[in-house]
Amino acid sequence: PMGTGPRGGKKVREAAEVAAAETAAVKRQKVGAEVGASVAVTTGVLGSAAAAGVDPEDVERKSRQMLEKKGFAAAAVGRALAAVRPSAADTMESFNEQKRRRTAAGNDWLVAHADLWELPKEMLEEVKAARLHKRGGAGAGASAGGGSGGGEREEDGVAFVKALHKDDAGPELSARARKLISKGLLPIAEKHVLRTGPTEIADASSAPHSHSATGAGAAGTGAQDRQRTGKSLRLQRLEKAERLAHDLCPHLASERECPHGDWCRRLHDVAGYLRAKQEDIPGPCPFTRGGGADAEPCPFGTRCRFLGAHIASDERNTATDEVRCTNDSTSYPPSAKPTPATPADPIAVAHPEVWARGEVTGGSASPTGGGVQLAHETNIFTDALQRDLAHNAYPMLRSDAILRRMDVPVKCLSYAQVDTQKSRRLQYIESRAQDATCAPVPRTPMKRSGMLGSREPGGREPRNTPVPVDFRGQLYVAPLTTVGNLPFRRVCVAMGADVTISEMAMASNLLKGDRGEWALLRRHKSERCFGVQVCGGWPDLMSRCGELLDNEVDCRFVDINMGCPIDGVCAKGAGSTLLRDETGLARMQAVVRAMSGTMARTPLTIKVRMGYDDDPAKYVAHEVLPLARAWGAAAATLHGRTRQQRYSRLADWSYIERCADAATPSGLPLIGNGDVFSWHDYEQHMSSGRLATCMIGRGALIKPWVLTEIKEKRVWDISASERLGIFRDFAQHGLEHWGADEKGVETTRRFMLEWMTYTHRYVPVGLLEDGAAQHMHLRPMAYRGRNELETLLASDAVEDWMRIAEMFLGKPGPSFSFVPKHKSNSYSSESAAALAAWAGDADGGEQNG
């Protein structure tokens, strides 16, 4: 027996408490067993009845909502619920019990298998430590030891990814590969390297590439870059008038009466137009569905480059007779004859699988007669909206109120527009005063005749607060000038992109009603999460643009580009200029506050760079991002370069991580951007869990299948025929978007060639040395592919790019020529210089390359 002192008495009491607890537990078990036996039958009956009335979709929906409410990313929740299916016993339970079990099972799966950036922030450190401990990592002990202080991280992102994929590590690099990488060259296997240097593309300003006899023309039609094309605006206008004089009237082509009559500037001689028309493009018309009697008529009619596909064999004589009667023609022109389904190019003939076209979506003629309005595209710019913007008749009530509250003068309007605005304001005040003294009369809302805006019946539902966008774990394709057009974005969506965004549009041009600028905002129905990027540097301008976009454009978010390094943009006080000094930063704050205040439906995001000058002491992003949330930004994207750096050198991801730490307390989701070229790059940057996702820019341009690689977490050694099929899809999407007439075909050709200035830089995985991987900063040497098509796709010669485009778009017109807009074609000259240096430093017995 124990004593009665302080220590002995304490132990006696503790033993008595343990015994009492054990006795109570035994009693509870007995009572529970009796109750369970008495209600077993009733429970079974009730469970069956409940199960019979439970909808599995309701259980799935509520479980998904519960998990998303906890903070898990929506994409990860979908994978979790698909992986843990309910058992037969689960389906016999009541609704609440099924929901509880599904939520618990999904939660356990997410903790075990979801990526770190898809987890709630409060669970991040705990899950990371548990996974490292399970894999034998050294960081588990540090995590359990106490705290997550700033300098006590258990492991950085790079080490964590190496531990995560240590089984996937390939063979060690050879001495040759290491030496090539040190020279900035991509180590291609020796047997594939060519002994001669790559074909260098001539400088755009001095030697434009042309397929015409005269060498005239610019990059497609309508180019206005005099430094690049050597043509004045007057000369371009004269050439445009000449082209219109030889182009068939679109009204006549669609068998409609021309409203302009003799004043029409286009050709009205159908027979003469058909005789001079180019040969048709192989394949079916993108605007007809399968042909036959039920086929929808092509909106381009006779002007279509697929005219031969419009005419069935049993209807050809009838069509010929109609043309003869109308135009006194003696024979139907060869251009209207049915054409073969595949081109005559030998490489195209060797790959017939590329031309296995599927059914395409048709279009309808525009009500104004000015082109094609596709049913699967939104954000169509109407004539009525253009007139309102051109005459400053579009009401900006929210913008005016915000600017008055911020005491910001409206300087983006002319003097006449300011006077008009003041007079309207006075009329509004007088009408309110008159209403106060007279009997109340119900006011009718203002109508703008013919306008199809967001307030029309069937439009977007009314909403007072923006709906946030969850970027976590979503594959985000960057806004890409010139090449980030709608057909390219459709290709990216097919490859796995979750978030797409328009090309950068200038806010001033949108407010003027510029049709070319509004065309950049077109959205395809396949783009599930679509944003619009605009650029401007003044609060009065951006607030008015924000209200306009919020009212009229169908998009999930609007992004302000505050990191654009282009000289013309910075000269207007926009882009990276906002990061230059204190004045710019003050304007940045005013822009975000003014624009976010006028947008009642759409969240606002911003995109910035590290700073303006290439001096670490002048980086400002880590100071701006913690404040952006309070200004009104819903999310931010940080490009890991400065304005002065532009796109040279590698992006600084350590600084991006530093900014993510700074922005986390404010709750601002941060998106990293820069040099994501493979799924390993994506995993490495996302491993810390501090970023919402990564924005993919040039990586998607060079190899759009990087999106598939990230989704499936694998390296795809894509074949040459599969790459050619991607160009086929782009050509199809381009014809649907820009049209199947001569202008639409040449526009599609020009943008395809612009894209090829990037795609030729890809080197197939099977040609690299063992253990090597392609990165953005490594220049490829000239090489020979595994077949003729792969070698053709690797060429940097514009003539070879034109050959590829001809497979899908036919031969170009006699006046077409192409000048690359971007300087990505200098890639090959840099490769040649690096290769020469490598050859000079190589040992005597080692082969070049």
Side-chain angles (χ1 to χ4, degrees):
M2 297 183 182
T4 58
R7 291 177 59 87
K10 181 179 180 181
K11 291 182 178 180
V12 170
R13 290 192 300 272
E14 289 178 352
E17 291 175 357
V18 170
E22 292 177 352
T23 303
V26 172
K27 291 181 178 180
R28 283 196 300 269
Q29 291 178 358
K30 292 181 179 180
V31 173
E34 295 174 356
V35 173
S38 63
V39 300
V41 178
T42 306
T43 302
V45 174
L46 291 177
S48 301
V54 173
D55 187 355
E57 294 183 359
D58 289 342
V59 177
E60 189 89 2
R61 187 183 71 256
K62 292 297 293 185
S63 302
R64 180 185 297 272
Q65 293 176 357
M66 293 290 291
L67 291 172
E68 291 180 2
K69 190 174 182 180
K70 288 184 177 181
F72 292 103
V77 171
R79 297 198 311 271
L81 295 180
V84 288
R85 306 307 303 174
S87 63
D90 291 339
T91 58
M92 299 302 296
E93 300 293 339
S94 64
F95 175 83
N96 289 335
E97 181 62 19
Q98 290 189 41
K99 181 184 68 174
R100 186 193 65 79
R101 293 187 181 186
R102 290 284 286 156
T103 305
N107 186 90
D108 295 341
W109 189 95
L110 289 166
V111 170
H113 300 93
D115 293 316
L116 290 177
W117 60 88
E118 296 174 325
L119 301 175
K121 293 182 179 180
E122 58 270 13
M123 297 176 58
L124 187 60
E125 298 300 329
E126 179 183 353
V127 173
K128 184 192 296 186
R131 292 185 182 180
L132 286 173
H133 181 72
K134 183 178 180 180
R135 295 177 180 271
S143 174
S148 55
E152 298 180 357
R153 301 188 188 280
E154 52 275 8
E155 241 177 270
D156 61 2
V158 178
F160 179 72
V161 169
K162 288 182 178 178
L164 202 62
H165 305 291
K166 59 184 178 181
D167 297 335
D168 299 336
E172 298 223 355
L173 292 173
S174 63
R176 173 181 178 273
R178 289 196 296 270
K179 189 172 183 179
L180 283 169
I181 292 175
S182 67
K183 297 292 183 180
L185 289 171
L186 181 63
I188 301 175
E190 178 69 24
K191 63 181 180 179
H192 297 291
V193 176
L194 293 176
R195 297 292 175 250
T196 57
T199 303
E200 295 190 24
I201 299 177
D203 184 75
S205 62
S206 60
H209 296 270
S210 175
H211 278 246
S212 64
T214 61
T221 56
Q224 295 186 1
D225 188 347
R226 184 170 184 174
Q227 293 181 349
R228 191 162 56 90
T229 64
K231 296 183 179 181
S232 64
L233 292 176
R234 180 176 179 274
L235 179 58
Q236 292 180 34
R237 285 194 294 267
L238 292 175
E239 290 182 350
K240 181 179 179 181
E242 184 179 358
R243 287 195 303 269
L244 290 177
H246 292 84
D247 189 18
L248 184 65
C249 175
H251 299 278
L252 216 61
S254 301
E255 300 181 358
R256 299 193 306 253
E257 182 180 357
C258 179
H260 306 290
D262 296 337
W263 295 94
C264 184
R265 295 184 298 172
R266 296 180 183 264
L267 185 66
H268 277 216
D269 183 7
V270 179
Y273 172 81
L274 289 174
R275 283 193 296 268
K277 186 183 178 185
Q278 285 186 273
E279 184 181 354
D280 278 1
I281 300 174
C285 175
F287 294 93
T288 57
R289 295 180 177 176
D294 297 333
E296 296 182 3
C298 175
F300 295 97
T302 312
R303 299 169 70 239
C304 180
R305 287 292 304 276
F306 297 87
L307 180 60
H310 297 174
I311 305 171
S313 57
D314 56 344
E315 298 175 352
R316 196 176 307 150
N317 294 332
T318 304
T320 305
D321 295 339
E322 291 178 359
V323 173
R324 286 176 180 171
C325 295
T326 306
N327 301 287
D328 298 329
S329 176
T330 58
S331 63
Y332 201 74
S335 64
K337 295 180 180 180
T339 54
T342 57
D345 191 286
I347 294 182
V349 173
H351 298 274
E353 69 278 3
V354 176
W355 277 262
R357 294 173 182 261
E359 184 180 2
V360 296
T361 306
S364 58
S366 172
T368 60
V372 174
Q373 180 173 323
L374 296 174
H376 52 269
E377 290 186 10
T378 58
N379 299 337
I380 308 297
F381 188 52
T382 62
D383 294 339
L385 179 57
Q386 184 188 33
R387 286 193 297 269
D388 286 347
L389 293 175
H391 295 88
N392 194 31
Y394 191 92
M396 300 286 186
L397 304 180
R398 295 197 303 269
S399 175
D400 294 340
I402 288 290
L403 294 177
R404 285 195 302 271
R405 190 185 312 157
M406 296 177 61
D407 195 21
V408 174
V410 180
K411 296 183 178 181
C412 62
L413 302 177
S414 64
Y415 291 115
Q417 291 174 330
V418 171
D419 293 340
T420 303
Q421 189 181 37
K422 288 181 178 179
S423 62
R424 287 181 177 172
R425 181 65 183 171
L426 292 175
Q427 292 175 3
Y428 176 74
I429 295 175
E430 291 175 358
S431 63
R432 290 292 300 271
Q434 185 177 4
D435 292 342
T437 57
C438 302
V441 178
R443 296 169 54 192
T444 57
M446 179 172 52
K447 294 182 180 180
R448 294 182 293 278
S449 60
M451 177 178 168
L452 298 177
S454 60
R455 290 169 298 278
E456 293 288 335
R460 299 192 301 172
E461 72 282 358
R463 188 168 64 233
N464 295 325
T465 58
V467 175
V469 180
D470 186 3
F471 290 103
R472 291 177 302 166
Q474 304 293 308
L475 294 186
Y476 189 172
V477 178
L480 303 163
T481 304
T482 303
V483 282
N485 44 65
L486 184 144
F488 172 77
R489 298 197 305 268
R490 289 184 64 182
V491 171
C492 292
V493 169
M495 288 291 171
D498 299 312
V499 182
T500 55
I501 189 170
S502 71
E503 300 176 61
M504 183 186 72
M506 298 302 296
S508 56
N509 293 338
L510 293 176
L511 290 172
K512 292 176 184 176
D514 187 294
R515 284 193 176 274
E517 210 74 14
W518 276 88
L520 302 177
L521 310 186
R522 290 280 189 95
R523 174 185 184 177
H524 192 265
K525 65 178 183 180
S526 63
E527 298 180 88
R528 297 178 297 274
C529 184
F530 173 74
V532 168
Q533 187 182 73
V534 294
C535 187
W538 304 94
D540 56 334
L541 175 72
M542 299 304 289
S543 66
R544 296 171 64 83
C545 181
E547 183 173 359
L548 175 64
L549 296 176
D550 190 56
N551 292 338
E552 306 300 335
V553 176
D554 179 23
C555 63
R556 289 289 305 279
F557 63 96
V558 175
D559 184 72
I560 310 177
N561 191 344
M562 298 181 171
C564 181
I566 299 176
D567 296 336
V569 173
C570 293
K572 297 178 180 179
S576 297
T577 305
L578 298 172
L579 304 169
R580 189 170 191 172
D581 48 28
E582 294 295 334
T583 303
L585 294 175
R587 276 199 293 119
M588 174 188 288
Q589 177 181 354
V591 164
V592 177
R593 287 186 181 278
M595 191 169 182
S596 62
T598 60
M599 299 172 65
R601 306 171 50 88
T602 315
L604 179 68
T605 64
I606 62 174
K607 186 173 187 287
V608 298
R609 289 192 171 220
M610 298 190 300
Y612 189 90
D613 298 312
D614 202 7
D615 180 4
K618 297 182 179 180
Y619 293 172
V620 296
H622 63 282
E623 300 175 357
V624 170
L625 293 175
L627 305 175
R629 186 74 169 184
W631 297 346
T637 302
L638 175 59
H639 187 174
R641 292 183 173 91
T642 61
R643 191 263 175 176
Q644 188 177 358
Q645 184 181 352
R646 290 186 177 247
Y647 296 95
S648 62
R649 304 196 307 275
L650 292 175
D652 189 351
W653 280 90
S654 61
Y655 183 78
I656 294 177
E657 292 287 343
R658 174 188 172 188
C659 292
D661 287 337
T664 297
S666 66
L668 179 75
L670 184 63
I671 302 166
N673 177 220
D675 303 333
V676 177
F677 199 69
S678 66
W679 79 272
H680 287 291
D681 294 339
Y682 185 86
E683 292 280 333
Q684 175 180 334
H685 299 323
M686 295 295 296
S687 60
S688 66
R690 294 187 287 271
L691 295 175
T693 187
C694 292
M695 179 181 282
I696 306 171
R698 287 180 297 168
L701 282 177
I702 298 173
K703 43 176 286 190
W705 52 93
V706 68
L707 301 164
T708 305
E709 292 181 339
I710 296 173
K711 285 276 188 180
E712 301 179 0
K713 298 186 178 181
R714 66 183 177 96
V715 177
W716 185 2
D717 188 8
I718 188 171
S719 65
S721 60
E722 288 173 323
R723 293 169 62 189
L724 189 64
I726 294 176
F727 286 119
R728 175 210 63 190
D729 295 340
F730 179 87
Q732 190 75 3
H733 301 334
L735 294 173
E736 293 178 13
H737 178 60
W738 288 302
D741 60 341
E742 185 66 27
K743 181 179 179 181
V745 170
E746 298 309 318
T747 302
T748 303
R749 188 191 313 275
R750 176 167 66 91
F751 282 109
M752 179 182 286
L753 295 175
E754 291 284 4
W755 186 22
M756 289 181 185
T757 63
Y758 291 91
T759 56
H760 80 279
R761 294 161 54 174
Y762 171 72
V763 179
V765 177
L767 305 185
L768 303 178
E769 282 203 5
D770 291 342
Q774 186 174 7
H775 293 281
M776 199 78 69
H777 66 290
L778 297 179
R779 272 23 183 181
M781 301 170 287
Y783 65 91
R784 181 182 293 106
R786 291 167 289 191
N787 52 52
E788 187 179 1
L789 177 57
E790 197 166 69
T791 304
L792 179 66
L793 292 173
S795 173
D796 62 351
V798 176
E799 290 77 12
D800 292 330
W801 302 346
M802 295 288 292
R803 179 184 177 185
I804 297 172
E806 287 179 17
M807 296 180 186
F808 310 104
L809 303 173
K811 293 184 179 181
S815 63
F816 179 84
S817 62
F818 173 71
V819 180
K821 184 175 182 180
H822 294 280
K823 293 190 177 181
S824 59
N825 55 328
S826 63
Y827 197 82
S828 300
S829 59
E830 295 176 13
S831 300
L835 183 59
W838 157 255
D841 294 343
D843 296 334
E846 188 171 3
Q847 308 250 351
N848 288 348

